[in-house]
Amino acid sequence: MQKWFSAFDDAIIQRQWRANPSRGRGGVSFTKEADPNVATGAPPRRPRVPRRACPWREPIRGRREARPGGRGAGGTPGETVRHCSAPEDPIFRFSSLHSYLFPGTIKSRDMSRKRHHLVPETFGVKRRRKRGLVESDPLRGEPGSARAAVSELMQLFPRGLFEDALPPIVLRSQVYSLVPDRTVADRQLKELQEQGEIRIVQLGFDLDAHGIIFTEDYRTRVCDCVLKACDGRPYAGAVQKFLASVLPACGDLSFQQEQMTQTFGFRDSEITHLVNAGVLTVRDAGSWWLAVPGAGRFIKYFVKGRQAVLGMVRKSKYRELLLSELLGRRAPAVVRLGLTYHVHDLIGAQLVDCISTTSGTLLRLPET
């Protein structure tokens, strides 16, 4: 350390003697340089150690454009223009160096200012999103009456497939797809049955497979088709007697032997004629279901179509499929009754789960 200070003092002493080349004959004389601080009484100033020049200390030189009608925006043309604080300013030096070394502090201040702007918006009045037009679900409408649901589902029945020989049939499970509250749906269907407006028949392929038919449609199709088909046969009289006496008076799903023989006066042979005509089907010994003549073909189409549509959902990815995508697909050949007709049955019978998503209703097979 002492060696460094001694070398530094020697450099100061040598700097005080300046070479004077004005002496003749090529000689050089050394004269002692006068220190201006001695005359003023100021302490001697140490010379600056040479170092690399900083570019940011250089002022930006340029010529200011003169404004029309007077002097320029400051100073005369050619005057040095400082676009920032003086480099000797310690505050400027500290702030610029601090921002250069720690740029995150400026961002933090900016974020704090943004945070102050966001706080009143967060705790103030909430902005409500503008909801667009939501597409209505074709299978899930507003909860209505069972009568309206049956009428709507009747429009989906393909009458041309059966050459208009079969009355439109709607399953009870399909009504549940439009009236989610099953208790309300069953109560309203029971009232319609007691009023004689609808008839409920057992389709036979399942214990819960109940078909719903309007009484007027049932009477019309049976009279037009069955009576014409059995004209001249011995059971034509039994069918006419059944339509005239039993159908308007009794709206039950099944009939007992005592009821048929004692109440309505049918003989055993006449009951056998009704079974042959397709108006009744055997339930067990001494009991019969109300049936629809010619409904066997409908039951075959319905069972095959249900399995086919259920298979479309099962074969899809993750065993789930959007309702809109399912209805947009081409129906397989075995689906004779229509995709929409079967989808109502799948939803009402709870063979698939309906999940509401932003893309629409999603049909998913339940986990087994």
Side-chain angles (χ1 to χ4, degrees):
M1 196 70 179
Q2 292 179 357
K3 292 180 180 181
W4 188 85
F5 277 111
S6 61
F8 190 71
D9 293 338
D10 294 342
I12 294 175
I13 294 172
Q14 291 178 7
R15 186 176 177 83
Q16 292 178 356
W17 295 88
R18 185 176 61 182
N20 187 8
S22 61
R23 189 174 180 177
R25 298 180 183 180
V28 179
S29 63
F30 292 90
T31 59
K32 189 174 183 179
E33 184 179 9
D35 191 355
N37 296 324
V38 176
T40 58
R45 185 180 62 180
R46 286 188 177 183
R48 292 185 177 181
V49 180
R51 61 181 179 177
R52 185 178 179 182
C54 298
W56 60 270
R57 295 176 65 91
E58 295 291 335
I60 301 175
R61 298 181 179 275
R63 297 182 62 87
R64 294 195 176 186
E65 297 180 2
R67 293 183 179 179
R71 294 179 58 186
T76 60
E79 181 184 0
T80 301
V81 181
R82 294 185 184 272
H83 293 273
C84 55
S85 304
E88 291 80 5
D89 191 357
I91 300 177
F92 172 79
R93 249 180 294 168
F94 175 76
S95 62
S96 60
L97 182 61
H98 189 268
S99 62
Y100 179 76
L101 297 178
F102 306 100
T105 57
I106 299 178
K107 295 181 180 179
S108 64
R109 288 196 296 268
D110 295 339
M111 291 300 296
S112 64
R113 287 194 294 268
K114 292 180 180 179
R115 195 177 297 112
H116 286 299
H117 289 294
L118 291 175
V119 166
E121 293 182 2
T122 304
F123 294 96
V125 180
K126 294 183 179 179
R127 296 181 179 179
R128 295 183 178 179
R129 293 183 179 180
K130 295 182 179 180
R131 297 184 178 181
L133 296 177
V134 181
E135 296 183 359
S136 59
D137 195 337
L139 298 180
R140 289 284 184 179
E142 294 294 332
S145 63
R147 176 67 169 79
V150 172
S151 300
E152 182 178 350
L153 292 169
M154 289 292 183
Q155 304 299 323
L156 302 176
F157 185 82
R159 298 190 180 189
L161 180 63
F162 304 97
E163 300 176 355
D164 207 19
L166 197 66
I169 303 174
V170 172
L171 273 76
R172 186 188 292 266
S173 59
Q174 293 175 326
V175 179
Y176 293 154
S177 67
L178 296 179
V179 185
D181 193 342
R182 300 196 171 201
T183 304
V184 176
D186 291 338
R187 184 177 65 250
Q188 293 180 358
L189 290 176
K190 185 64 175 178
E191 293 176 356
L192 294 175
Q193 185 181 5
E194 292 176 353
Q195 296 171 4
E197 189 172 354
I198 63 173
R199 305 292 305 191
I200 298 179
V201 298
Q202 175 68 30
L203 296 179
F205 63 88
D206 193 0
L207 293 177
D208 297 332
H210 294 163
I212 302 173
I213 308 171
F214 284 121
T215 305
E216 189 62 29
D217 292 339
Y218 181 85
R219 182 183 291 108
T220 303
R221 295 301 181 273
V222 171
C223 292
D224 294 345
C225 300
V226 177
L227 292 180
K228 290 181 180 179
C230 63
D231 189 13
R233 297 185 180 182
Y235 51 82
V239 173
Q240 292 180 352
K241 182 179 179 180
F242 178 83
L243 295 177
S245 60
V246 179
L247 196 64
C250 182
D252 296 338
L253 182 62
S254 61
F255 304 95
Q256 303 297 325
Q257 185 175 7
E258 296 180 359
Q259 182 182 13
M260 293 293 294
T261 56
Q262 298 179 7
T263 305
F264 300 108
F266 282 87
R267 299 188 300 270
D268 292 340
S269 59
E270 292 178 336
I271 296 176
T272 304
H273 293 331
L274 293 177
V275 173
N276 294 335
V279 178
L280 297 178
T281 56
V282 179
R283 178 181 180 182
D284 50 26
S287 179
W288 300 271
W289 294 108
L290 178 67
V292 180
R297 191 157 58 121
F298 165 77
I299 295 174
K300 181 178 67 174
Y301 291 162
F302 181 84
V303 172
K304 290 184 177 180
R306 172 191 272 188
Q307 297 299 327
V309 177
L310 202 60
M312 295 173 65
V313 182
R314 184 181 295 108
K315 293 178 183 178
S316 59
K317 190 176 182 180
Y318 305 119
R319 297 161 59 94
E320 59 186 20
L321 189 63
L322 285 174
L323 175 61
S324 57
E325 184 179 353
L326 176 61
L327 296 179
R329 290 186 179 184
R330 183 178 180 181
V334 295
V335 182
R336 307 291 297 273
L337 302 177
L339 283 174
T340 307
Y341 189 87
H342 286 289
V343 169
H344 277 288
D345 170 62
L346 296 182
I347 295 175
Q350 297 180 348
L351 298 178
V352 293
D353 295 334
C354 287
I355 302 173
S356 298
T357 63
T358 56
S359 301
T361 303
L362 183 69
L363 303 181
R364 177 184 297 171
L365 289 181
E367 297 181 358
T368 55

